[in-house]
């Protein structure tokens, strides 16, 4: 009986370690690294990371709209997406932004709501 409890304990511990070691996954399926999480970003009174207009503008300057090539104004059919969502500690800077089609953004949002 002692060995049975030892096996159960070992299996439980192994499962716990495996789950703890799993990388987090962002909304678009990419792995989230702890170093990508912003622990020092400015936050509002509810603890949400503040979105900066400067970061959005800088991203558009370095990554023109895929549909039009424009660096100003809206980008038809695309939205600006954070690879690691701000709600999961992602940074509001160039390294964490990407263009995403509106269809893909809606599909991901729908999937996230079901979770």
């Amino acid at each position: 009986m002692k060995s049975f409890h030892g096996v159960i304990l070992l299996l439980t511990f192994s499962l716990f370690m495996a789950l703890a070691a799993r990388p987090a996954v962002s909304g678009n399926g990419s792995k989230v690294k702890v170093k990508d999480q912003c622990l020092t970003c400015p936050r509002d009174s509810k603890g949400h990371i503040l979105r900066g207009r400067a970061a959005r503008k800088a991203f558009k300057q370095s990554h023109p709209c895929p549909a039009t090539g424009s660096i100003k104004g809206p980008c038809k059919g695309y939205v600006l997406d954070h690879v690691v969502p701000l709600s999961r500690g992602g940074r509001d800077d160039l390294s964490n932004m990407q263009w995403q089609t509106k269809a893909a953004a809606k599909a991901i949002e729908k999937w996230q709501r079901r979770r």
Side-chain angles (χ1 to χ4, degrees), residues 56-57 59-81 98-106:
R56 185 187 249 331
K57 186 176 179 180
F59 178 81
K60 285 184 174 184
Q61 291 286 331
S62 61
H63 299 84
C65 171
T68 64
S70 175
I71 59 172
K72 293 184 179 180
C75 183
K76 187 171 180 140
Y78 288 85
V79 294
L80 193 58
D81 177 54
Q98 66 182 358
W99 287 112
Q100 185 178 56
T101 64
K102 287 185 178 180
K106 284 181 182 179

Side-chain angles (χ1 to χ4, degrees), residues 2-115:
K2 234 181 190 182
S3 64
F4 176 75
H5 289 300
V7 169
I8 295 297
L9 183 64
L10 180 62
L11 288 173
T12 304
F13 178 75
S14 299
L15 178 62
F16 174 78
M17 292 305 288
L19 290 174
R22 268 186 3 190
V25 177
S26 73
N28 66 1
S30 63
K31 292 181 181 174
V32 178
K33 297 175 184 151
V34 173
K35 70 177 185 174
D36 292 336
Q37 294 183 352
C38 185
L39 303 175
T40 59
C41 291
R43 296 177 182 266
D44 65 13
S45 61
K46 295 181 181 178
H48 299 127
I49 294 175
L50 294 173
R51 296 173 189 237
R53 288 184 182 172
R56 185 187 249 331
K57 186 176 179 180
F59 178 81
K60 285 184 174 184
Q61 291 286 331
S62 61
H63 299 84
C65 171
T68 64
S70 175
I71 59 172
K72 293 184 179 180
C75 183
K76 187 171 180 140
Y78 288 85
V79 294
L80 193 58
D81 177 54
H82 289 89
V83 177
V84 179
L86 298 179
S87 62
R88 298 202 25 128
R91 297 177 184 276
D92 191 33
D93 62 23
L94 298 178
S95 66
N96 190 37
M97 292 182 179
Q98 66 182 358
W99 287 112
Q100 185 178 56
T101 64
K102 287 185 178 180
K106 284 181 182 179
I108 289 171
E109 187 176 321
K110 184 178 178 182
W111 176 78
Q112 287 175 333
R113 270 191 257 129
R114 283 188 284 168
R115 292 182 79 204

